[in-house]
Amino acid sequence: MLRRSFRAMGTDVELLLDAEPGERAEGALDRAEAELERLEQVMSRFRADSELSLLNRDGRTEAASHDLVRVVKLAIEARQATGGLFDPTVHDAVVAAGYDRTFDALPLALAADATSTLCVDSTQGPCGGGVRVEGTTIELEPGTRLDLGGIGKGYAVDRVADVLAVVGPCLVNAGGDLAVRGGAWPVGVTDELTLELTRGGMATSGRDRRRWQRDGEERHHLIDPATGRPAVDAPIRVTVVAASAVAAEVAAKAAFLGGDVDLPRVIVTADGSTVLAGGLA
Amino acid sequence: MTDTSHRLYAVVIAVVVFFLSWATIAAKPWATAKPDPRLAALAQREQRLRADAKLVQQVVDSRMTAYRLALKARTAQIAAVKAQAAAAQARAQQVSQSTAQAPQYAAAPSVRVVNLPPLTVTRTS
């Protein structure tokens, strides 16, 4: 079993590859790492020269890369499928909540304007700004900016798993977003619970990490598109297993925000108890 | 004067007759004309080219026939695949309509609870 760990997309990444050590396997791991770096350069909102940052700045691009077009389309489809619980246009709300730089660079306590919140399009609620994709052209409604953090990471995990799968069964884990190709992979969900994943992806959304203080109030990065603020009265975290890391990421976020998700999932409720649902036993 | 003139005419006529006879004999009108070897080579080359062209045409014809047959078979294959794809799309639309609430996230992954040490962990991303 080959294992490679490194930092990318603002989180810890693990590549597990069930293959004989050698040049071929090492080459695949190198290509996987390079693919992750390439996709981060496309979708990171923390890099001023990323394709996504340029789109958010200009509001329009006519020569978007295949990956950006694909992820934006997936995000739009996810918004429709989840009834708006998953929304890629929460960018300004996340920034307004204080998550305006990589989490590594985020001070634990922020003292800034706590009244700031987002409002993209008042006709559609605080979030839900218009995004038009046609061919390689992506156009954002004025005032709309995209945050592809979660779904972009899921997409990258799926792509990297495809790269590694050429060599052998593999698992890719980017800060909790997982995808497997072949093999059987025990994945720890809580201290007491392990799930063996043999196909698909897994993702966890929660408020137990990536949280910070602002004006004495605890904030986290999961924005409720209905209010444009960090979700309240939500469970501590939800882990969902789905056909892909992208689908798991979207479903985990929707389930965290109270959406009806019919997939295998583990919910850690606000009182700390663990609930299995969606066919898990 | 008259005799001198007559002699002069006779001499001129004799000279003219002499040169005409000489030219006629030098032309050897009794000998048959030999064919030009360059023309013969050109004719041979033309024949070879015509033969080659005929051969090439035969090859092209046979290849064109094979290509038309392959094209016909390929067109039939493409039509069959398109028909299958259309049928699959129709089935997918039916499935999509029946699960309109969550079409993309309903695919069943493979997972079970185990009592094994984990190789990795998932956490809030």
Side-chain angles (χ1 to χ4, degrees):
Chain A
M1 174 75 67
L2 300 174
R3 182 188 291 261
R4 184 178 290 189
S5 303
F6 54 94
R7 292 281 298 176
M9 295 190 157
T11 191
D12 296 316
V13 177
E14 269 186 314
L15 309 178
L16 303 183
L17 179 59
D18 188 4
E20 291 294 321
E23 194 176 328
R24 188 160 178 257
E26 288 299 327
L29 290 168
D30 290 342
R31 284 194 298 279
E33 197 170 339
E35 176 70 355
L36 210 54
E37 163 62 24
R38 186 185 71 79
L39 290 171
E40 184 171 6
Q41 183 57 33
V42 172
M43 290 179 282
S44 173
R45 69 181 173 94
F46 301 117
R47 293 186 180 183
D49 61 343
S50 75
E51 212 181 329
L52 177 64
S53 292
L54 297 178
L55 171 63
N56 280 337
R57 187 194 67 192
D58 301 336
R60 176 184 170 87
T61 176
E62 292 181 354
S65 67
H66 165 77
D67 294 297
L68 188 61
V69 168
R70 183 78 188 119
V71 175
V72 170
K73 279 184 176 175
L74 284 169
I76 294 169
E77 288 167 11
R79 179 165 70 179
Q80 291 168 347
T82 61
L85 288 173
F86 178 94
D87 194 332
T89 63
V90 296
H91 174 282
D92 287 10
V94 177
V95 172
Y99 193 8
D100 56 357
R101 68 207 78 173
T102 65
F103 200 78
D104 293 340
L106 200 65
L108 200 58
L110 289 170
D113 178 16
T115 62
S116 58
T117 185
L118 97 163
C119 200
V120 175
D121 180 351
S122 57
T123 62
Q124 299 184 46
C127 298
V131 184
R132 191 177 66 84
V133 182
E134 193 174 330
T136 60
T137 298
I138 303 175
E139 195 168 15
L140 308 179
E141 270 186 5
T144 299
R145 278 176 285 276
L146 298 178
D147 177 9
L148 301 176
I151 197 167
K153 199 190 299 173
Y155 176 84
V157 164
D158 284 329
R159 294 288 73 74
V160 170
D162 289 338
V163 171
L164 284 181
V166 175
V167 177
C170 62
L171 176 148
V172 178
N173 182 1
D177 283 8
L178 289 105
V180 300
R181 300 285 186 274
W185 307 90
V187 179
V189 178
T190 66
D191 290 342
E192 298 82 23
L193 178 66
T194 300
L195 297 180
E196 187 182 64
L197 188 61
T198 53
R199 189 173 60 240
M202 182 186 289
T204 301
S205 281
R207 55 187 169 91
D208 52 339
R209 293 184 72 251
R210 293 189 190 271
R211 56 184 181 172
W212 60 94
Q213 294 284 326
R214 191 168 196 182
D215 287 351
E217 188 180 331
E218 187 172 287
R219 302 290 180 93
H220 61 82
H221 71 298
L222 290 176
I223 300 298
D224 183 349
T227 63
R229 290 179 169 275
V232 294
D233 299 330
I236 293 175
R237 68 172 180 271
V238 178
T239 298
V240 174
V241 182
S244 67
V246 165
E249 168 70 29
V250 171
K253 200 156 283 178
F256 179 85
L257 295 172
D260 186 17
V261 174
D262 185 22
L263 285 169
R265 59 197 183 280
V266 178
I267 304 152
V268 178
T269 60
D271 62 4
S273 57
T274 301
V275 178
L276 304 183
L280 281 177
Chain B
M1 178 72 184
T2 306
D3 289 342
T4 305
S5 298
H6 286 163
R7 273 197 296 271
L8 189 58
Y9 282 129
V11 168
V12 167
I13 289 169
V15 168
V16 167
V17 168
F18 171 74
F19 278 110
L20 281 176
S21 302
W22 189 6
T24 303
I25 292 166
K28 296 181 183 175
W30 59 88
T32 55
K34 278 174 86 176
D36 190 338
R38 291 174 303 175
L39 286 175
L42 207 58
Q44 279 184 347
R45 183 172 163 75
E46 184 185 0
Q47 279 184 343
R48 277 201 308 273
L49 286 175
R50 283 186 189 281
D52 287 349
K54 196 173 176 183
L55 201 62
V56 167
Q57 188 61 49
Q58 284 175 348
V59 171
V60 167
D61 287 345
S62 79
R63 287 185 181 175
M64 195 63 192
T65 305
Y67 166 73
R68 285 201 175 114
L69 286 172
L71 181 65
K72 196 174 175 182
R74 188 71 182 144
T75 306
Q77 282 179 345
I78 291 170
V81 169
K82 278 185 176 172
Q84 284 178 351
Q89 192 174 10
R91 282 197 301 274
Q93 279 180 345
Q94 285 177 346
V95 171
S96 172
Q97 284 167 358
S98 64
T99 57
Q101 290 302 312
Q104 190 182 342
Y105 312 111
S110 177
V111 66
R112 65 187 179 118
V113 178
V114 293
N115 192 17
L116 293 170
L119 282 171
T120 186
V121 297
T122 181
R123 56 190 174 127
T124 296
S125 58

